[in-house]
Amino acid sequence: MRQIAESIKDRFLKLGVDVPIEDIEERLDELITKFKVPDNEAQRSVVNYFLKKYSIPKNEFYVRQAEPQLTKITDISENGQWANINAKVIQLWENSHESISQVGLLGDETGIIKFTKWQNAELPNLEEGESYLFRSVVTGEYNDRFQVQLNRNSSAEKLSEPVEVGGGDFTPGQRESELRNIVDLEGNNQWVTVRGKVVQLWENSHESIEQTGLVGDETGVVKFTNWASSELPDMEEGKSYLLKNVVVSEWNGRAQIQLNRGSSIEGLDEDIEVGTSTFTYSGAMVDIQTGSGLIKRCPECKRALVKGACAEHGKVRGEYDLRIKAVLDSGTSTQDALINRELTEELAGISLDGAIAMAADALDPGVVLDRLKQELIGRYYIVSGPKLDRYLLVESIAPKDSLDRELLEAMLAELEVE
């Protein structure tokens, strides 16, 4: 707190105003300790208080400092620090958070740092590749990595001379990021290169996302998102690739990777063996989701067609397939399960040809889904197979007569039923 107070005092001294440091510390302590206000917000509030007290215009304090003291990115080492930096906008990331205007990476000759520009900053949009003088940005720390934030007290002035960028974890176009095993991916905003096989492509209707699904190597599986703005080629399910300069992020405690304009995709002439663990789950089939039953797949990439079209190859003559996207309920948890054609035929007692005939007779493929629901929902099963993200890919399934007595007793005990 003393360091923050000294920083505020120094900034007022530059304008010829000597604010007693005890007064600054007293107000900071009240906001941070008593009212639990975040450091950067407390600092802003204290600064604004003394600006008003000494009748100093905000613009004079925040913006009109003819020769601002500049901080190098590599020297940013604490929370709640106000800083002025000359930096180039290296990359802008896709962002859907309503309170954030822009997010991405800034760089100078000493390193690279993530930035967030908040909507309430009311600043013009930054341009990728342009260099700026950023005044009064606030430093913060997340997952042991520093970042800067542009708020309503910040400003951004475009520079006529470009800032040379060096250092940092990765600079697009300068060098490749480190090759990592999927099991070792962690943290936020790390640039890495991943070698893996596309295990699964998911149906996606979000206009800003080109592809999303799962990619795996010998050590594990991770979700990937290829943003439409990356302008990268689509990948095919079952094929192996080298994904260079992807960004690791974290969501719900799990790592995922994102491909953007700084990334690249190279096909590999090898079949990577994906390492997974086998899981077993027991429960009642309580739902069979849309997209189950008799479906059509693209003959090229094997994706499920949506309204007769493949996301990559457009309108195609699809090939019929059977599958079940089931939800199992153990009484204490639920599990999504994907059941392939062979197991669906065995489980429901209906062949693919039989399902096609049923749909033709009724002039409605939905009758196959109805048949599956009628035959399977409410019955108990034991399933096993690898678990990839939220899905268990069923390799074996066996009917179960009833709920385990031990499980039933545990459920009753949890509900406090005698």
Side-chain angles (χ1 to χ4, degrees):
M1 193 175 303
R2 181 77 179 187
Q3 197 167 14
I4 297 176
E6 289 175 348
S7 174
I8 294 175
K9 181 177 177 66
D10 288 344
R11 299 194 71 191
F12 276 92
L13 283 173
K14 290 176 182 176
L15 296 176
V17 179
D18 187 5
V19 181
I21 195 164
E22 294 81 9
D23 294 351
I24 299 173
E25 285 186 314
E26 181 181 350
R27 299 197 70 83
L28 282 172
D29 182 66
E30 182 180 31
L31 290 170
I32 296 172
T33 305
K34 183 177 179 181
F35 296 107
K36 309 300 181 185
V37 175
D39 290 1
N40 60 332
E41 285 299 314
Q43 185 172 350
R44 183 183 62 80
S45 179
V46 170
V47 166
N48 288 338
Y49 170 82
F50 287 111
L51 287 175
K52 185 175 181 180
K53 180 177 179 177
Y54 292 97
S55 301
I56 301 173
K58 284 188 178 182
N59 283 345
E60 183 178 350
F61 185 82
Y62 288 117
V63 179
R64 296 174 185 172
Q65 301 177 48
E67 296 182 2
Q69 182 177 351
L70 295 176
T71 300
K72 299 298 183 184
I73 287 176
T74 191
D75 294 330
I76 294 174
S77 58
E78 61 183 85
N79 277 311
Q81 183 182 12
W82 292 88
N84 305 306
I85 59 175
N86 279 342
K88 176 185 286 186
V89 179
I90 297 173
Q91 197 134 96
L92 295 172
W93 296 342
E94 298 288 343
N95 164 60
S96 59
H97 199 294
E98 60 182 13
S99 65
I100 295 176
S101 172
Q102 287 182 297
V103 63
L105 295 174
L106 301 177
D108 66 10
E109 64 272 20
T110 70
I112 296 170
I113 196 168
K114 177 188 173 184
F115 81 90
T116 301
K117 179 162 72 72
W118 298 101
Q119 286 284 6
N120 64 7
E122 298 181 352
L123 294 172
N125 281 338
L126 305 176
E127 300 175 40
E128 199 168 275
E130 293 292 337
S131 298
Y132 298 84
L133 165 60
F134 296 97
R135 300 180 191 256
S136 301
V137 299
V138 181
T139 63
E141 188 176 3
Y142 181 74
N143 276 2
D144 298 322
R145 296 174 69 86
F146 287 100
Q147 55 186 336
V148 296
Q149 301 182 43
L150 283 71
N151 55 36
R152 53 191 167 187
N153 295 322
S154 308
S155 67
E157 303 170 19
K158 189 177 289 188
L159 298 174
S160 57
E161 294 293 327
V163 173
E164 295 296 325
V165 178
D169 291 336
F170 165 69
T171 304
Q174 289 194 358
R175 70 173 188 266
E176 288 182 14
S177 52
E178 180 183 355
L179 178 65
R180 296 275 187 87
N181 290 327
I182 286 175
V183 72
D184 297 325
L185 301 180
E186 59 182 359
N188 270 302
N189 309 322
Q190 292 185 17
W191 293 87
V192 301
T193 293
V194 171
R195 166 186 157 276
K197 177 196 286 188
V198 177
V199 178
Q200 196 169 78
L201 292 171
W202 296 340
E203 295 173 12
N204 164 59
S205 59
H206 199 295
E207 62 181 13
S208 64
I209 295 177
E210 178 65 22
Q211 281 187 307
T212 185
L214 298 172
V215 63
D217 64 10
E218 295 85 351
T219 69
V221 177
V222 69
K223 176 187 175 183
F224 78 88
T225 300
N226 179 13
W227 296 100
S229 61
S230 71
E231 299 181 355
L232 294 172
D234 283 350
M235 296 184 287
E236 296 183 28
E237 202 167 278
K239 289 194 175 182
S240 300
Y241 298 89
L242 185 66
L243 309 179
K244 294 184 177 180
N245 304 325
V246 300
V247 181
V248 181
S249 60
E250 190 174 303
W251 191 75
N252 278 1
R254 296 176 64 92
Q256 56 183 348
I257 58 174
Q258 302 185 47
L259 287 79
N260 53 42
R261 278 176 283 188
S263 309
S264 66
I265 299 173
E266 296 181 10
L268 297 176
D269 293 328
E270 61 176 310
D271 185 18
I272 295 175
E273 184 176 346
V274 178
T276 58
S277 300
T278 298
F279 294 84
T280 299
Y281 191 87
S282 175
M285 191 176 295
V286 295
D287 188 26
I288 297 178
Q289 299 173 320
T290 302
S292 301
L294 187 64
I295 65 169
K296 282 189 174 182
R297 294 189 182 276
C298 173
E300 297 293 329
C301 63
K302 307 305 179 185
R303 295 186 197 180
L305 303 184
V306 178
K307 296 182 179 179
C310 170
E312 179 180 357
H313 299 100
K315 288 283 185 180
V316 295
R317 186 178 181 84
E319 299 175 344
Y320 281 110
D321 193 13
L322 269 178
R323 74 171 177 190
I324 296 173
K325 298 169 69 175
V327 179
L328 300 176
D329 191 332
S330 69
T332 59
S333 65
T334 61
Q335 175 62 57
D336 291 332
L338 291 177
I339 304 173
N340 62 23
R341 169 187 164 184
E342 291 75 17
L343 291 176
T344 298
E345 289 178 327
E346 179 182 337
L347 193 63
I350 180 174
S351 67
L352 177 59
D353 289 340
I356 294 172
M358 284 177 58
D361 289 342
L363 300 178
D364 179 12
V367 298
V368 179
L369 177 56
D370 293 339
R371 164 76 176 271
L372 293 175
K373 289 182 175 181
Q374 181 181 356
E375 293 289 330
L376 306 177
I377 286 182
R379 299 180 183 274
Y380 288 86
Y381 298 94
I382 300 175
V383 297
S384 64
K387 190 175 180 181
L388 304 178
D389 202 62
R390 79 174 205 251
Y391 285 105
L392 192 153
L393 305 185
V394 178
E395 292 181 342
S396 69
I397 182 167
K400 189 177 179 185
D401 293 336
S402 61
L403 196 63
D404 285 344
R405 181 65 187 173
E406 291 182 4
L407 181 56
L408 180 59
E409 290 175 354
M411 291 169 58
L412 293 174
E414 184 176 337
L415 295 171
E416 295 182 352
V417 177
E418 297 294 330

